[in-house]
Amino acid sequence: MIQPPLTPSQVSAVQKLVNQIAYEGMGPVATPKLLLLIEDFPTGDIVGLLTPAIAEDMTYRGICSVLAEAWETLEDESLKRLARLNLVRVHLGRASLTSGSVARRAIDSAAATLDSLPNKAQDWELIEIKADIAVQRGKYSDAIAAYKRIPVTSRPNGEIQAKIGSTLRLDGRLDESLALLQSAIKRESGNTAEHNRSWHELQQEQGFTLVAKGDVTAAGTCLTASAKLSKSAAFSPRIDLAIALTKRGYQSVVKTYIAMITTWNSNISESSLSKAIQQ
């Protein structure tokens, strides 16, 4: 049994509601509509669309409830597993968007949920998620070793390289991080629109590594490069690098980034995105 993917109109509707929650402060109004919309897609590739809204408490709890109910009610074992994996990803998304005890609870929830799934030696989805959890817990060497095991046939290589680059940076290995990310960006530069997410993540992570190295101007170039996306892409853009550059006084490049992102993602306004970044 294979669940059909979201249609472009459904993706647009999800993005609009997520943007209202994440950037416009409309959580109490938009969350019930979002939960009704995603109830039919608990096993699909939807977490990347939901991530910015997971920072909002009510939305996070509601999404977790939808996925937990799917786990309990779905009859197909493969679909039950996918719903469970999505729940793990939601917990990890929450951890990445929060800090302190809130983030730690989300990480622990992700690990406990993952442990409830059967473990196979070459289950690459589980291996990647375990690596993600290891990063959140500061076990960088373990995470990098796990990421490097994942074959390109199971996951877009650019996205994995972005994760490795990020982990190297967090481990203080800035030159290694920059070299790896720049090499991956060269490989992705000639790819088609289906690689939009990889391009976005690689450029964002390169920007963070450059900030860590003290080259904030070059990081700004990476920020705008990360916004060169096709309208066929279906994921939510990151704003963490834009926030970091705003705090360092680079408002002009951030303004350019906002204009480019809102051209690509028409479901969000420049004013609401700017407000979210300025907070």
Side-chain angles (χ1 to χ4, degrees), residues 1-234:
M1 179 180 178
I2 303 297
Q3 190 177 46
L6 276 74
T7 65
S9 63
Q10 288 167 328
V11 168
S12 180
V14 170
Q15 287 183 329
K16 182 176 181 179
L17 291 167
V18 166
N19 290 335
Q20 288 175 344
I21 296 166
Y23 306 130
E24 300 175 22
M26 295 176 63
V29 176
T31 295
K33 298 176 183 177
L34 178 66
L35 299 183
L36 285 173
L37 185 57
I38 69 171
E39 274 184 349
D40 293 332
F41 300 93
T43 65
D45 184 16
I46 197 170
V47 177
L49 295 173
L50 301 174
T51 299
I54 294 169
E56 202 279 320
D57 292 345
M58 181 178 69
T59 308
Y60 169 63
R61 290 193 297 268
I63 292 170
C64 288
S65 295
V66 169
L67 296 176
E69 183 178 358
W71 162 259
E72 295 292 340
T73 58
L74 287 170
E75 296 182 359
D76 186 289
E77 288 300 322
S78 64
L79 293 181
K80 287 171 71 74
R81 175 184 177 278
L82 290 173
R84 205 66 166 173
L85 285 174
N86 272 347
L87 181 56
V88 177
R89 294 186 181 104
V90 166
H91 289 316
L92 282 174
R94 169 76 164 184
S96 69
L97 292 167
T98 56
S99 60
S101 61
V102 174
R104 288 192 295 272
R105 284 196 298 271
I107 295 166
D108 291 343
S109 295
T113 305
L114 191 65
D115 286 343
S116 69
L117 288 165
N119 198 349
K120 298 179 182 178
Q122 291 188 331
D123 191 326
W124 303 116
E125 285 182 299
L126 296 189
I127 288 169
E128 181 180 350
I129 292 174
K130 286 181 178 180
D132 294 342
I133 292 172
V135 172
Q136 297 277 9
R137 288 178 164 170
K139 299 179 180 180
Y140 302 128
S141 295
D142 292 346
I144 291 169
Y147 287 139
K148 288 182 175 179
R149 291 177 55 202
I150 300 171
V152 296
T153 53
S154 73
R155 192 76 164 80
N157 188 249
E159 293 178 42
I160 293 297
Q161 294 301 300
K163 289 188 175 186
I164 295 173
S166 174
T167 309
L168 288 168
R169 169 176 57 81
L170 292 170
D171 199 27
R173 297 156 64 179
L174 301 183
D175 290 338
E176 288 181 69
S177 172
L178 191 59
L180 180 143
L181 291 167
Q182 289 178 341
S183 178
I185 287 169
K186 287 181 180 178
R187 290 196 298 271
E188 291 290 328
S189 62
N191 285 328
T192 58
E194 67 188 42
H195 296 271
N196 272 283
R197 191 194 301 255
S198 295
W199 177 261
H200 187 71
E201 293 294 331
L202 287 165
Q203 290 286 3
Q204 289 269 327
E205 294 301 343
Q206 181 182 213
F208 269 115
T209 299
L210 288 165
V211 168
K213 289 176 69 68
D215 194 345
V216 184
T217 301
T221 301
C222 294
L223 179 70
T224 54
S226 75
K228 296 175 182 177
L229 302 167
S230 164
K231 285 186 177 293
S232 65

